[in-house]
Structures are given as structure tokens and as C-alpha cells.
Amino acid sequence: MREMYSSIVENIKSAIMVIDPQNMVVSVNQQCEKLLKVNREDILYKDIFQAFPDAPEEVRHIENAMKYEQEYVVDVMPYKWGPYNAYFTLQTKLLYEDGLVVGAMAEFSDITKYIEREAALKKSVEEMAANLVPISCSIAVLPLTQPIVSELEPGYFIEKVLTSVHSLQITKVILDVTAIYEADANFYDSITLLARGMKLIGKEMILTGFRPQVAKQMAAMGVNLRGIEIYPTLKRAMEVY
């Protein structure tokens, strides 16, 4: 049974490290070797502070788990020191025997690619936030998408749009919300604050493309769009202007 347990620990996708009450590294699996770029022979049965002497305090969760007899869960842990440039998700567990703490275990996984994808997505959304499409010398269309509404703070969105409007010397922006399928507080704040911001700089915002379910949600929220021109479709607004 012990051999089976050891085999499972050795081959799971998560990295595992165990230390004893004297901070001695007593167990690591192959994934731990891979993520920490070490050979187990170089760190087993060594004080963890000697095995990783330059590790900053903010990544020493297994040591603190043992020191304070407290378990930790870290959803995103930047692991950026020495030869490392990664993000881990980590949790620690205290190990007990006869009611006494006899060690601490850290289980962690590399989520660097996930964090990088999230950063790339956010950058893409930020770029889309001010993707004004001029249709004349004074009018531009801005397609509003759900990711822009969901991922960006309204204030950031407003700043990006107003900056682009000023740069392009646009007098009217047709904000097309056809791609919005759910209205929430962020959506309401985005369109109302943008309308106010446009008015303050002497520009005008026009709304098009409300889906029936979005219109229903906004009506239920008591949203007031008085003073803003609204057209059923982008095509109709372009025919007018």
C-alpha cells in the first residue's frame, strides 16, 4: 500500500514537497523537481532554508505553515526570483500523527501559461475598447462587446474612448450594442458615463442595436437613457447620419 501511495504521489501532475518540524526536506516528487529546477538528491534531507537560501519571504509558505502551524491557500503566487519566472497556485497542509504536527506539505502547480493568456486577453480587450471605426469625417462607430463590458472598469473604458474621439476629431459616436447579451451595472455605467463624458467635451453619443432581453433587463433596473438618441439597428442610424 505504501509503495502504491508513493507511486501516485510521484506521478501526479501537481508538485509535492514535504518538510519535517526541523524544516528538513523529506520528500519531493518529480514534478517538484521540474518546477523548482532541482535534483532531489541536492535538496533531500537538507534544511529548506539552506536548499533555497535566496527565496524571498513571500514565497516561503511551506516554511510558514510549519512555523505557525497554519495552512495556506494561494490562488496566484508570483514565483519570480533567482532563476524563476513563473506563477504557481499553491496550498499547504499540516501533517499530523497522534494529534501532533509532524510536518507540512506544499502542493503547487504551474499556472504561468494561464496567467499569460489572461494578460493577452486583457490587452486585446483594452485595444478593442477604443476601436472606433470612422464612417465619415465627423462620425465613428464603436462596436461594444461583452468582454469590454465584463473585463474593463467603466472609467478605463471611458478614458480610452474619449481620448480616441479627441484624437480623431470625431463629433458623433454611434455606440452599437448588438453584441451585448446581458446588461449589468458595468454596462449601465459604461454607456451613461460615456454619454456624459461625450457631452462634456461637446460631442454626441448615439445608441443602436439593443437586444430585447437587454432592453428588458435595463427597464427592470430603472435605467434612464433620456437625452440619448437610440436606433433599433446600426444600419438605421447610418441611414439617418
Side-chain angles (χ1 to χ4, degrees):
M1 183 65 71
R2 178 172 295 182
E3 290 180 0
M4 182 183 297
Y5 173 77
S6 297
S7 177
I8 292 172
V9 171
E10 182 66 19
N11 292 289
I12 62 174
K13 293 182 179 180
S14 298
I16 299 290
M17 175 184 286
V18 179
I19 63 173
D20 68 11
Q22 287 72 48
N23 291 316
M24 194 79 68
V25 179
V26 295
S27 179
V28 296
N29 67 354
Q30 60 183 357
Q31 186 67 3
C32 181
E33 290 182 282
K34 179 181 177 181
L35 295 189
L36 297 185
K37 303 177 182 179
V38 295
N39 294 317
R40 68 184 68 192
E41 293 80 8
D42 296 330
I43 62 172
L44 276 177
Y45 308 113
K46 288 186 178 180
D47 186 298
I48 193 169
F49 289 94
Q50 294 177 356
F52 301 96
D54 299 322
E57 178 63 24
E58 57 265 25
V59 303
R60 290 194 178 277
H61 295 288
I62 189 171
E63 298 93 320
N64 288 330
M66 191 71 257
K67 180 179 180 180
Y68 300 110
E69 296 190 0
Q70 179 177 338
E71 297 182 345
Y72 298 91
V73 175
V74 184
D75 293 327
V76 179
M77 179 180 73
Y79 203 75
K80 296 175 179 288
W81 65 275
Y84 308 106
N85 185 27
Y87 290 90
F88 295 157
T89 181
L90 171 143
Q91 64 176 350
T92 63
K93 293 286 185 182
L94 295 174
L95 306 177
Y96 292 89
E97 186 174 297
D98 297 329
L100 299 176
V101 176
V102 295
M105 180 184 76
E107 179 179 356
F108 53 101
S109 301
D110 189 347
I111 57 170
T112 305
K113 289 184 178 180
Y114 169 78
I115 296 297
E116 289 174 346
R117 284 197 299 268
E118 286 289 297
L121 175 61
K122 183 177 181 180
K123 183 178 180 181
S124 176
V125 170
E126 289 175 351
E127 290 172 351
M128 288 191 298
N131 188 25
L132 291 170
V133 182
I135 58 174
S136 73
C137 60
S138 61
I139 302 174
V141 174
L142 175 59
L144 190 61
T145 65
Q146 200 71 48
I148 292 175
V149 172
S150 302
E151 300 294 333
L152 297 183
E153 289 292 328
Y156 180 86
F157 167 70
I158 305 308
E159 180 183 355
K160 292 280 286 185
V161 174
L162 294 181
T163 300
S164 294
V165 167
H166 178 74
S167 176
L168 295 171
Q169 297 185 331
I170 298 297
T171 59
K172 288 184 175 67
V173 170
I174 301 175
L175 187 65
D176 183 57
V177 298
T178 305
I180 300 297
Y181 51 85
E182 184 176 357
D184 57 12
N186 256 18
F187 175 63
Y188 170 67
D189 288 343
S190 295
I191 61 176
T192 55
L193 290 175
L194 179 57
R196 292 174 192 169
M198 292 282 288
K199 187 174 182 180
L200 286 172
I201 61 173
K203 314 294 183 180
E204 183 182 355
M205 187 185 81
I206 299 152
L207 284 169
T208 66
F210 277 103
R211 293 172 179 266
Q213 64 268 30
V214 172
K216 181 180 178 181
Q217 289 171 343
M218 294 189 70
M221 292 168 61
V223 173
N224 183 358
L225 298 178
R226 188 176 304 162
I228 302 176
E229 283 190 72
I230 302 175
Y231 292 89
T233 64
L234 175 59
K235 180 181 178 182
R236 177 59 184 147
M238 292 175 68
E239 289 173 351
V240 173
Y241 290 98

